[in-house]
Amino acid sequence: MTVQRALFDRTGHLRDEQGILDALRSSADARVVVVRDGRARVQDGALVTVPPAEVDEEAEWGLLGQDSDGNSLLLAAVGAEPDSIDAAPAETWLGLRDTGGMLDGESTELLVAAVTLASWLRDARFCQACGAETALQQGGWSRRCATCAHDIFPRTDPAVIVAVENADGERLLLGANANWRGRMYSCFAGFVEAGESLETTVHREIEEEAGVLLDDVRYVSSQPWPYPRSLMIGFRATASDERPARPDGEEIIDVRWFTRDEIRSALNGDGPVGLPGPASIARALIQSWCEERE
C-alpha cells in the first residue's frame, strides 16, 4: 500500500517565502519534474529531473519540496505543444498507471504529488467566485483572486475502496466495471457523497453495486490517486450473510466470489480473470487478503 511517513520533504515552511519560486528557478542546484498531460519523464526505472533552465518559460511552476539528497524540487506543468522537453522519446513519458512498481517509493510519491499539483495549476487559473484571473501564491499551492480576494487551494476528493470477504474469510467478492467490459475484476469503490462518513459510503456503495450488506468494516490504508485529484481510502469488510451478490447492471456488470486459489492464479497472470495493476491500492488489498492464509 502506501508508506506512512513522507519520503521527500515538502518544505512547507518555504512556501510563504517571498519570491521563492523565482529564486529556485535561478538556482543551479534545483531540479525540475516536468509534467505534461498527467505524465512525467521516466527512464531506466527512474523519474527524470532537469535543471530549471531547460524548461519552457510558459510552464506553470510549483514548489514540490526537497529530495533525500537535499536538492530543491520544482514542478513545471507544460502544455501538449512540442518543445525542447517534449523532444524526448514519447515512450519515456509515463503516468502512475504506466509505472506500476517500476519506481522506488520516493519517486512514486514525488510523481503523484507532481501530477496532482500540475493538474490543479493548469485548471485553476480563474476564480471560482467571480471568474477573474488568479495570482499564484505559496509556491504554487494556492491562488488568490486579484478582484475579490478569494483564496483557492488544491482540492482532494475522497473515495472509498473495499475488499469484501465472506463470513469465514475464504472467499473474496470482486466486481467487473462496465468500462472494463468484463476483462478485469476489482474491489468496489465510490466517491464520498456530501454529508456522508467514510463508513456510510462503504455500506452504501457495496449495497448499491453488489447488493451485499456488511459487517465489520475496518480501515486498512490510503493512496493518493491523481485522476485527477482523488484520495482512495482502503477498507476491508465482511459480508453479513450469504445472500447472492448481484451487479447493479450499470456501473458493475458482473460480481463473483473468488477462492484464494483463483485469486492466487489471477495474481500470477494465469486467470481466471484479470486484476488491477501493481500501482493500485485495489491490487494491494486483494493481494493482502490472499496472502493472509498462505
Side-chain angles (χ1 to χ4, degrees):
M1 307 242 184
T2 56
V3 296
Q4 299 302 309
R5 186 183 299 276
L7 295 177
F8 76 95
D9 183 359
R10 290 180 177 241
T11 59
H13 63 286
L14 294 179
R15 292 179 186 174
D16 286 321
E17 194 172 301
Q18 190 70 24
I20 185 63
L21 284 178
D22 288 337
L24 291 177
R25 286 174 60 184
S26 301
S27 169
D29 297 326
R31 305 295 296 176
V32 184
V33 179
V34 182
V35 174
R36 174 168 58 89
D37 292 338
R39 297 171 182 267
R41 288 279 316 285
V42 174
Q43 193 165 20
D44 298 327
L47 189 62
V48 175
T49 61
V50 299
E54 292 188 14
V55 183
D56 186 356
E57 286 288 327
E58 297 301 314
E60 295 277 359
W61 292 86
L63 171 59
L64 290 173
Q66 192 175 74
D67 65 19
S68 55
D69 295 323
N71 299 310
S72 294
L73 294 167
L74 296 174
L75 159 73
V78 301
E81 300 80 8
D83 57 25
S84 60
I85 293 295
D86 288 357
E91 64 270 17
T92 67
W93 290 88
L94 302 177
L96 184 61
R97 288 189 178 97
D98 306 310
T99 58
M102 182 190 307
L103 301 176
D104 61 27
E106 181 178 344
S107 295
T108 298
E109 188 176 318
L110 183 58
L111 175 61
V112 172
V115 169
T116 305
L117 184 59
S119 174
W120 180 77
L121 284 172
R122 300 192 70 84
D123 291 345
R125 294 173 176 171
F126 298 95
C127 178
Q128 301 162 338
C130 72
E133 194 165 358
T134 60
L136 209 60
Q137 295 194 130
Q138 294 187 307
W141 288 89
S142 72
R143 289 182 179 272
R144 173 164 290 180
C145 177
T147 301
C148 70
H150 180 63
D151 289 321
I152 308 167
F153 300 91
R155 196 178 95 192
T156 297
D157 297 330
V160 301
I161 183 163
V162 193
V164 179
E165 61 185 352
N166 69 337
D168 65 9
E170 291 298 331
R171 291 185 295 158
L172 189 69
L173 182 65
L174 300 177
N177 191 288
N179 293 330
W180 306 329
R181 300 178 183 177
R183 293 191 295 265
M184 185 174 75
Y185 284 70
S186 185
C187 301
F188 299 91
F191 284 102
V192 179
E193 292 187 351
E196 280 190 323
S197 68
L198 298 176
E199 293 81 2
T200 301
T201 306
V202 168
H203 285 281
R204 175 181 57 78
E205 284 288 342
I206 303 306
E207 185 172 8
E208 287 179 356
E209 294 187 351
V212 172
L213 301 179
L214 301 175
D215 288 329
D216 192 26
V217 173
R218 54 207 183 275
Y219 170 77
V220 178
S221 183
S222 64
Q223 179 186 35
W225 195 243
Y227 296 103
R229 51 180 176 265
S230 300
L231 176 65
M232 303 300 294
I233 304 163
F235 289 86
R236 288 273 297 272
T238 303
S240 50
D241 56 37
E242 292 292 328
R243 71 171 61 186
R246 52 105 187 108
D248 63 17
E250 296 180 5
E251 184 175 353
I252 304 299
I253 59 174
D254 189 32
V255 291
R256 288 177 57 181
W257 287 101
F258 292 89
T259 66
R260 273 188 173 75
D261 284 343
E262 289 174 321
I263 293 295
R264 198 171 292 115
S265 177
L267 287 169
N268 290 332
D270 299 326
V273 296
L275 295 177
S280 67
I281 189 174
R283 188 178 183 93
L285 289 167
I286 293 168
Q287 188 163 345
S288 175
W289 174 84
C290 184
E291 293 174 351
E292 276 183 352
R293 302 183 185 181
E294 289 284 2

